[in-house]
Amino acid sequence: MKRRVLFVCTANSARSLMAEALLRDIAGDQFEVASAGTDPTEPHPMALQVLEEAGVSTGGLYSKRLADVQEQYWDYVITLCEKASSECGTVCQPAQQIAWDFADPVPANRHSTFALRLKEIKERVALFALIHQKETGSKPASYDPVAVFKALADDFRLAALLLVRSEEQLCVCELTEAFEALQPKVSRHLAILRDAGLLATERRGQWIYYSLNPGIPQWLARVLDETASHNDRLIESPLARLRAMADRPSVQCL
């Protein structure tokens, strides 16, 4: 399962956007990546230029507010300046906090400065990907019964898994609506199910969809089938709220 990484700096116009594009280019098969700013502006033209000159795609890059993404689940939050580091330590829990410090190339407004900063960030991003690639969940889940049943030993997680199974694919906003729960709570529980190998994820544009992992063993599939067939009440109310949603999915899903 892919780990989720959020890069943060002040303006989300250069450093964090570069880092987002670079990690996606270097290890997009291992990480879900986004970036945000504590006081965002717009992508700087020279940041986009040096990325394109380096052969790194800039598609989909845009400046975002930290407030819009801080309540989502993140495995890693990597700050690229001191201001962002001081703010993320309190608002992005329980993510692992990593503080990098790169000088802002915007004040110089020189192509050579942006190119140098891109080179420096690329080296750090490549090292991060190398060090953390073993933690991305890319290896198959063991499906140890104790670990599986521990993940399912929570009424919310069990109901959420059965609801996803029933609907085949759901995104976070649909689950928050169905269970009338806050997004951080939903994201944390989904991460536990994902790490246990019970859920698979797929990104479509800016949305992440959850589905039952097609690789689960037959014994576990039978357990879920029997549980679902004899416990309709577990998802009766959430399913009704889900079906009553006016717009599915919401643009708030990320």
Side-chain angles (χ1 to χ4, degrees):
M1 310 300 170
K2 293 183 179 181
R3 291 292 191 257
R4 305 195 70 214
V5 180
L6 177 67
F7 291 103
V8 184
C9 65
T10 303
N12 192 212
S13 65
R15 292 165 293 180
S16 54
L17 284 180
M18 288 178 180
E20 175 187 355
L22 286 165
L23 183 56
R24 189 174 290 125
D25 182 70
I26 293 171
D29 59 329
Q30 300 174 28
F31 299 96
E32 297 284 353
V33 192
S35 66
T38 56
D39 187 18
T41 55
E42 296 289 337
H44 195 286
M46 283 190 188
L48 301 180
Q49 181 182 346
V50 295
L51 282 167
E52 291 168 354
E53 290 172 350
V56 179
S57 173
T58 59
L61 288 183
Y62 66 99
S63 300
K64 299 171 289 296
R65 296 189 311 150
L66 177 61
D68 292 338
V69 298
Q70 68 187 31
E71 292 188 350
Q72 296 175 40
Y73 176 85
W74 300 102
D75 294 289
Y76 305 99
V77 172
I78 302 177
T79 55
L80 290 93
C81 66
E82 186 175 348
K83 182 177 187 295
S85 177
S86 64
E87 295 192 21
C88 286
T90 57
V91 301
C92 292
Q93 299 296 335
Q96 179 177 340
Q97 306 286 323
I98 301 175
W100 297 348
D101 191 13
F102 292 98
D104 188 358
V106 172
N109 200 34
R110 296 171 57 187
H111 179 276
S112 59
T113 304
F114 277 86
L116 175 60
R117 201 66 67 246
L118 178 68
K119 179 179 180 294
E120 294 170 344
I121 294 174
K122 181 177 181 179
E123 292 173 352
R124 188 71 64 87
V125 166
L127 181 60
F128 170 85
L130 178 65
I131 292 173
H132 294 85
Q133 62 183 354
K134 294 182 180 180
E135 301 177 18
T136 61
S138 56
K139 59 183 179 181
S142 64
Y143 293 109
D144 172 69
V146 174
V148 168
F149 288 118
K150 183 177 180 180
L152 294 175
D154 177 273
D155 56 352
F156 182 91
R157 288 198 293 272
L158 178 58
L161 184 65
L162 294 179
L163 188 61
V164 170
R165 174 188 173 278
S166 170
E167 298 297 288
E168 296 187 357
Q169 280 194 333
L170 292 174
C171 60
V172 173
C173 68
E174 292 173 306
L175 289 161
T176 58
E177 180 76 15
F179 289 98
E180 297 181 322
L182 295 176
Q183 184 170 321
K185 173 183 176 180
V186 174
S187 295
R188 285 195 297 272
H189 284 299
L190 290 176
I192 292 172
L193 293 171
R194 180 196 64 191
D195 291 345
L198 297 169
L199 290 178
T201 60
E202 177 186 357
R203 177 177 287 275
R204 297 180 188 174
Q206 63 176 352
W207 301 337
I208 296 176
Y209 286 83
Y210 291 82
S211 60
L212 197 64
N213 192 331
I216 64 174
Q218 291 187 355
W219 69 264
L220 180 52
R222 290 195 296 270
V223 168
L224 295 177
D225 289 343
E226 287 295 312
T227 303
S229 64
H230 294 287
N231 296 276
D232 291 341
R233 61 178 180 79
L234 288 175
I235 63 170
E236 183 177 3
S237 295
L239 185 58
R241 286 190 288 267
L242 182 65
R243 298 277 170 82
M245 283 184 70
D247 297 310
R248 296 176 60 185
S250 166
V251 295
Q252 294 178 349
C253 292
L254 294 175

